Amino acid sequence: MKAYSAEFIGTFWLVLGGCGSAVLAAAFPGVGIGLLGVSLAFGLTVLTMAFAIGHISGCHLNPAVSIGLWAGGRFEAGKLLPYIVAQVLGAIAAGGVLYLIASGKAGFDVTAGFASNGYGEHSPGGYSLLAALVCEVVMTAMFLVVILGATDKRAPAGLAPIAIGLCLTLIHLISIPVTNTSVNPARSVGVAIFAGGWAIEQLWLFWIAPVAGALLGATIYRFIGCDKVCEKV
């Protein structure tokens, strides 16, 4: 239960910090943090939580990461469902807190998107469904390659949180214009259920693509990073 609670808290922090920066601070008049600031915010949530709870739960904070770690031989299948449930609940709790904060401002309109992920007319840059699918699959695959590589016992000790946090920052710098960046089904659910409408209708993509990408990333790393016997680390 401590590991599941840690995943709940960690995912709560990721969604509140990342989506909160997008909703509250990205376009704040005069001092808005913009795309770069939001990207850094997402990376910092993972970096800080990796140091805080990495030794408790592994700091997955993401159903796709948990599935990818399982596919990479680093995680037990029996823990997958409880981890995913904890992550989704943490994301929804963060979405609720963010909604309470954001709705305290006059003129707040949750239908504007609420940092939800989307494609087509709901993509920040107007990118198509195919473009969004490819982007989310590739970004999640590379995220898993970095995670598996940085946490390999042969990698420099103690630096994994930095590599993983910076990787997530880079992913957001690339893909915010395309999908508002998911690579994390829990993050997508956490805000979509409050935005409703199109955000719920398009949510399927932000489960299928990150999970497919995670499986692809795990396969790639098992090919390039494992010896004849791929040992658990």
Side-chain angles (χ1 to χ4, degrees), residues 169-183:
T169 298
L170 177 57
I171 286 169
H172 279 78
L173 287 172
I174 297 168
S175 60
I176 284 178
V178 183
T179 62
N180 225 12
T181 309
S182 172
V183 302

Side-chain angles (χ1 to χ4, degrees), residues 2-232:
K2 289 183 179 180
Y4 306 147
S5 297
E7 285 297 304
F8 177 95
I9 294 167
T11 312
F12 174 91
W13 185 233
L14 182 147
V15 174
L16 185 61
C19 295
S21 69
V23 171
L24 304 175
F28 194 82
V31 291
I33 62 175
L35 185 154
L36 176 59
V38 174
S39 300
L40 284 170
F42 272 101
L44 288 172
T45 61
V46 171
L47 174 62
T48 52
M49 274 295 130
F51 282 113
I53 67 169
H55 56 288
I56 300 172
S57 69
C59 192
H60 299 184
L61 317 185
N62 182 338
V65 168
S66 295
I67 292 170
L69 289 173
W70 163 75
R74 305 281 188 86
F75 192 59
E76 300 173 28
K79 294 182 179 179
L80 267 178
L81 183 58
Y83 261 58
I84 291 171
V85 170
Q87 291 156 0
V88 171
L89 291 177
I92 292 172
V97 170
L98 180 57
Y99 180 84
L100 288 174
I101 295 170
S103 61
K105 179 181 179 180
F108 169 71
D109 180 12
V110 72
T111 62
F114 200 53
S116 296
N117 302 114
Y119 56 84
E121 64 178 311
H122 301 296
S123 157
Y127 288 84
S128 68
L129 169 59
L130 178 60
L133 174 65
V134 172
C135 184
E136 288 289 325
V137 169
V138 173
M139 293 301 135
T140 313
M142 294 309 300
F143 194 32
L144 261 295
V145 170
V146 171
I147 291 170
L148 289 166
T151 56
D152 194 301
K153 64 181 181 180
R154 297 165 294 179
L159 298 180
I162 298 172
I164 295 168
L166 289 176
C167 179
L168 189 60
T169 298
L170 177 57
I171 286 169
H172 279 78
L173 287 172
I174 297 168
S175 60
I176 284 178
V178 183
T179 62
N180 225 12
T181 309
S182 172
V183 302
N184 184 340
R187 168 260 188 270
S188 298
V189 171
V191 290
I193 64 169
F194 292 93
W198 66 264
I200 296 291
E201 293 170 2
Q202 296 192 352
L203 191 56
W204 64 271
L205 178 68
F206 302 104
W207 275 92
I208 291 175
V211 170
L215 294 173
L216 175 61
T219 302
I220 291 170
Y221 191 77
R222 287 180 77 93
F223 175 73
I224 65 172
C226 294
D227 296 323
K228 291 182 179 179
V229 177
C230 190
E231 298 177 325
K232 293 182 179 180

